[in-house]
Amino acid sequence: MKDEISLDTFSLKKPAFPGSLTDLHRFRKTVHGSVHGHNGSSRIVMVRKTDQRTFASLKNGQEPQIETITRETIETFRGPRTACKVTTEKKDCGEEVPPDIFANLMMKSRSCSRLDSKPTPTKSRYSLMDTFAKECLQAHNEYRKKHGVPALKLSKEICRESQKWADHLIKAGGLAHSNNDKYGENIFYIQCSNPNFTVKGNVPVENWYKEIDKHPFGVEPKNLESGHFTQVVWRDSKELGVGYAKSGGEVIVVANYYPPGNYVGRYVENVPPLGSTPAKVSELARDVHKISIRGADDSLHVGTFEKDFLEAHNKYRALHGVGPLELDRKLSKYAEEWARHLAFRNVLETRPNCNYGENIFKVSSTDPSFTLEGNVPVEKWYEEGKKHVYDREPNDLSTGYFTQLIWKSSKQLGVGIAKHQGSIIVVANYSPAGNFVKQFVENVPPPLRPGSISPTKAETNNNVHHNDRNQVEYSQFALEGLKVHNEYRKKHGVPEMRLNKEMCDYAQEWADTCARSGRMSHRPNSPYGENIFYSYSSDTSATPSARDAVKAWYDEVKMHTYGVETMNTGTLHFTQVVWKESTELGIALSKNKKGETYVVANYNPRGNFMGQFVQNVPRPRQ
């Protein structure tokens, strides 16, 4: 079948078509409609309608021509009813299309695509994006040279990620940072009434760099008013990716940087002032790294604190017959970044998406000259060992600091320390990470000298009795919860999960905690994925079923967008329910006297990792 492209002369007022196409009206026959009839005693009415439309037609292998289609309808009514209706259609070919209209038709032909195919970028678009990215890179490096920091290099992989997000934003019609924490990110937006305008690659960079006027050099900034500028010249960033998306008069540019910049506590060494040379920048970085705690009048050399910190770890590990840790400088730098971040915000929270084990310690003092010895945090963490039950999997992570400290499989240690407004925060990272379910017995052996920190036999028996009660009371609930999960997972073609007793006990413990406190919140430092359901009824005997809870989580499917690597916080319960790589489930219910019910479900391995949604959350099967 030959392709045919037609332009209806009634649509030529649309801005997408050149004004010269209105010349088609020269060829259009009069569009008219006439009504003839009579009303007498016969009560017969006849209506005749004539409609003519003129098209400029282009067929493959033929010269373009003018075509006129005449459609005539004669309808006879007897009273209110149609007695007879006849429609005829006639097609006439007229003159050839004038040259200017022919040129416009050819342009339209090249821009059209079949309805059943997806538009794909043309070579010219790739060429435009490549040129734009190179211009953007050049502008970055010109500014970076002024500050004495190394030049960036373009990365094809990062460019692809940047382009995906730029395309997403232009379609969504809004501006938002992506949830990808692997890269630093700058976004630029501009709009023009002229749909044909273009933007050169240096324009976004110049716009970001203007924030230099807001940046305080030589100190840590109190806000991120200059965040675009600081990311442009961030010394430690090495690679750049650029995405460019356009729709009509709107342009969005996304730039991603690796390693990312704008880390609290790292601005002085990474954002040198104008006129700096590479030698001065390197010297500044060395001076900054000599000090780990920075306050108004105090400092602490890293070597002393790290030495005591490492020795304390290995002393306690030797008591349990596990090998010593080794200090890793790269891991210490990683830990220090998070310590300074926490100190700056004056909060305690685990680092999101951290691939290492993590222990955190905080101490405060009104004495501005107060310092901290390296053994103090370690001794505090080790005290948790008094509550730890050996030779079995724990029900919770109430002794998680202790178990990570002596975790047998961990080999390397990193430590970071920071001070802010009278508080000192210590972050320790361990590699490989510890505190994995089903690995506690082999990785947390009891001390070689018995009787030092083990719980009493009565405490152990009480714990076992409580867990057995929970298992009996909620086993049917857990079985129903598993069944409903697997029903939904089957819809998406992902493997079924199986129940895990330890995980059910773990979920039960947190559900009980939520019920006691009357507050729904996620469990801190949990090694599992987690969904929580809450319901209230004035009828205290009313209890929701496991199906009620799982269905509430799954119903978020209505808001999920498939095939896109973005984290929609409104659908994370649904995505965890059907997450392909999750294989084990623990689920439990707990009620309080107020009529509140809490359901906690834990998943192993956990889901909802950025960059893995497409492969783990497939569309439902038809």
Side-chain angles (χ1 to χ4, degrees):
M1 179 181 292
K2 296 181 178 178
D3 293 335
E4 179 175 331
I5 300 174
S6 299
L7 296 182
D8 188 339
T9 57
F10 291 102
S11 303
L12 295 180
K13 292 183 181 179
K14 292 183 178 180
F17 302 107
S20 60
L21 284 183
T22 57
D23 293 341
L24 281 175
H25 287 291
R26 294 179 300 160
F27 304 98
R28 181 150 63 115
K29 297 179 181 180
T30 303
V31 177
H32 63 275
S34 58
V35 178
H36 304 275
H38 57 89
N39 273 325
S41 59
S42 62
R43 291 186 175 274
I44 296 177
V45 178
M46 180 184 73
V47 178
R48 173 181 294 162
K49 295 181 180 180
T50 303
D51 183 26
Q52 290 183 343
R53 294 181 180 243
T54 303
F55 298 83
S57 176
L58 176 67
K59 296 182 178 180
N60 290 345
Q62 299 181 15
E63 293 295 324
Q65 291 184 330
I66 293 295
E67 291 186 0
T68 300
I69 297 178
T70 303
R71 179 174 296 167
E72 186 174 71
T73 301
I74 300 175
E75 192 168 7
T76 303
F77 295 87
R78 183 177 296 275
R81 298 182 179 179
T82 299
C84 181
K85 182 177 181 180
V86 178
T87 300
T88 60
E89 184 174 286
K90 180 181 178 182
K91 180 183 294 186
D92 296 318
C93 293
E95 308 174 48
E96 292 184 355
V97 179
D100 59 334
I101 298 178
F102 172 73
N104 285 316
L105 282 174
M106 294 302 294
M107 184 181 301
K108 179 66 177 176
S109 172
R110 286 192 294 268
S111 65
C112 289
S113 61
R114 294 183 179 274
L115 295 178
D116 60 349
S117 63
K118 295 182 179 179
T120 55
T122 62
K123 290 185 178 179
S124 60
R125 179 170 182 251
Y126 284 130
S127 177
L128 171 65
M129 290 162 53
D130 184 59
T131 301
F132 184 89
K134 290 179 179 178
E135 292 174 350
C136 195
L137 174 68
Q138 181 180 351
H140 272 84
N141 289 335
E142 287 175 358
Y143 285 124
R144 291 174 68 87
K145 186 177 181 180
K146 293 180 179 181
H147 292 261
V149 299
L152 298 172
K153 294 181 180 180
L154 271 182
S155 164
K156 291 183 178 180
E157 178 184 352
I158 304 178
C159 281
R160 284 193 294 269
E161 293 299 318
S162 302
Q163 189 60 49
K164 286 180 183 179
W165 191 243
D167 290 339
H168 168 77
L169 293 178
I170 204 74
K171 291 177 183 178
L175 291 182
H177 282 288
S178 66
N179 291 316
N180 191 337
D181 60 0
K182 183 178 180 181
Y183 306 118
E185 185 175 78
N186 280 347
I187 300 178
F188 172 82
Y189 171 85
I190 190 170
Q191 185 178 23
C192 181
S193 58
N194 178 11
N196 297 318
F197 92 108
T198 58
V199 176
K200 290 187 175 295
N202 62 299
V203 174
V205 190
E206 291 173 357
N207 186 273
W208 296 328
Y209 188 81
K210 288 179 181 178
E211 293 178 358
I212 186 176
D213 297 334
K214 304 176 183 178
H215 186 72
F217 292 96
V219 297
E220 289 294 307
K222 296 181 179 180
N223 53 54
L224 283 178
E225 288 183 341
S226 59
H228 296 97
F229 156 70
T230 52
Q231 178 60 88
V232 167
V233 301
W234 194 264
R235 180 182 70 97
D236 284 348
S237 294
K238 308 297 182 186
E239 295 179 299
L240 172 70
V242 181
Y244 173 98
K246 186 176 185 296
S247 176
E250 295 180 300
V251 170
I252 290 179
V253 178
V254 175
N256 281 323
Y257 306 79
Y258 183 81
N262 292 341
Y263 276 104
V264 173
R266 303 290 303 282
Y267 282 87
V268 175
E269 65 195 275
N270 276 283
V271 188
L274 273 169
S276 299
T277 64
K280 289 183 179 179
V281 173
S282 298
E283 182 179 353
L284 175 64
R286 286 195 298 270
D287 291 342
V288 170
H289 276 297
K290 287 179 181 178
I291 299 176
S292 182
I293 297 181
R294 304 187 66 85
D297 301 311
D298 56 27
S299 64
L300 178 66
H301 288 283
V302 170
T304 303
F305 183 88
E306 285 184 342
K307 180 181 178 182
D308 294 342
F309 192 77
L310 177 65
E311 288 181 352
H313 270 80
N314 290 335
K315 178 187 71 173
Y316 287 123
R317 290 173 67 89
L319 293 179
H320 293 259
V322 299
L325 298 173
E326 294 181 358
L327 198 64
D328 183 89
R329 291 294 175 183
K330 184 177 179 181
L331 203 55
S332 290
K333 183 178 179 181
Y334 182 82
E336 185 180 341
E337 288 176 351
W338 191 243
R340 291 187 173 186
H341 172 81
L342 296 178
F344 184 78
R345 294 182 57 204
N346 194 28
V347 297
L348 283 183
E349 58 186 17
T350 57
R351 189 169 189 153
N353 302 321
C354 180
N355 294 322
Y356 307 109
E358 183 179 75
N359 282 351
I360 302 177
F361 174 85
K362 178 182 178 181
V363 64
S364 299
S365 174
T366 57
D367 181 2
S369 61
F370 172 74
T371 58
L372 181 68
E373 295 181 354
N375 64 298
V376 174
V378 187
E379 291 174 354
K380 184 67 176 178
W381 295 331
Y382 189 75
E383 287 179 4
E384 286 185 352
K386 298 176 181 179
K387 300 181 293 182
H388 186 73
V389 180
Y390 296 95
D391 299 325
R392 55 163 295 176
E393 291 294 309
N395 301 316
D396 54 52
L397 283 180
S398 60
T399 60
Y401 288 121
F402 161 72
T403 53
Q404 176 59 87
L405 193 159
I406 65 169
W407 194 263
K408 183 178 180 180
S409 297
S410 296
K411 304 298 181 184
Q412 294 176 311
L413 171 69
V415 58
I417 182 169
K419 184 174 184 179
H420 184 68
Q421 297 180 348
S423 295
I424 295 178
I425 291 182
V426 179
V427 174
N429 286 127
Y430 305 81
S431 180
N435 291 343
F436 281 98
V437 176
K438 295 186 177 180
Q439 298 182 25
F440 280 85
V441 174
E442 69 178 282
N443 279 284
V444 187
L448 299 178
R449 291 180 295 176
S452 57
I453 56 175
S454 298
T456 64
K457 184 176 181 180
E459 290 174 335
T460 303
N461 290 337
N462 287 337
N463 286 335
V464 173
H465 173 74
H466 178 71
N467 290 324
D468 287 343
R469 178 183 60 81
N470 287 340
Q471 180 67 17
V472 171
E473 186 174 353
Y474 297 114
S475 60
Q476 189 59 42
F477 182 88
L479 289 172
E480 183 187 7
L482 175 68
K483 178 183 177 183
V484 181
H485 270 85
N486 287 336
E487 287 175 1
Y488 287 126
R489 292 172 67 87
K490 186 176 181 180
K491 287 185 177 182
H492 294 259
V494 299
E496 292 187 347
M497 291 190 293
R498 60 182 180 274
L499 281 178
N500 179 292
K501 181 181 181 302
E502 288 79 10
M503 290 175 62
C504 284
D505 292 342
Y506 189 75
Q508 184 64 58
E509 195 273 341
W510 190 246
D512 290 342
T513 299
C514 292
R516 282 194 301 270
S517 65
R519 185 169 61 93
M520 184 174 70
S521 62
H522 282 290
R523 187 173 197 148
N525 304 320
S526 175
Y528 307 117
E530 183 176 72
N531 281 348
I532 302 180
F533 170 85
Y534 165 85
S535 71
Y536 166 79
S537 176
S538 57
D539 179 6
T540 56
S541 65
T543 303
S545 66
R547 183 172 294 276
D548 293 331
V550 183
K551 182 179 183 300
W553 298 328
Y554 183 82
D555 282 348
E556 293 177 358
V557 64
K558 302 170 185 176
M559 299 181 288
H560 185 71
T561 303
Y562 296 95
V564 178
E565 284 300 342
T566 56
M567 185 175 287
N568 182 349
T569 56
T571 65
L572 295 182
H573 295 99
F574 154 69
T575 51
Q576 177 61 88
V577 167
V578 301
W579 194 263
K580 183 179 180 180
E581 292 183 1
S582 295
T583 59
E584 294 182 306
L585 172 70
I587 184 169
L589 173 147
S590 185
K591 292 184 63 176
N592 60 28
K593 296 180 180 180
K594 300 177 183 179
E596 296 175 326
T597 301
Y598 296 85
V599 177
V600 174
N602 289 130
Y603 305 82
N604 184 46
R606 68 191 314 156
N608 293 337
F609 281 102
M610 278 301 302
Q612 299 181 25
F613 280 86
V614 174
Q615 69 189 69
N616 278 283
V617 187
R619 298 175 184 272
R621 294 179 174 179
Q622 299 298 331

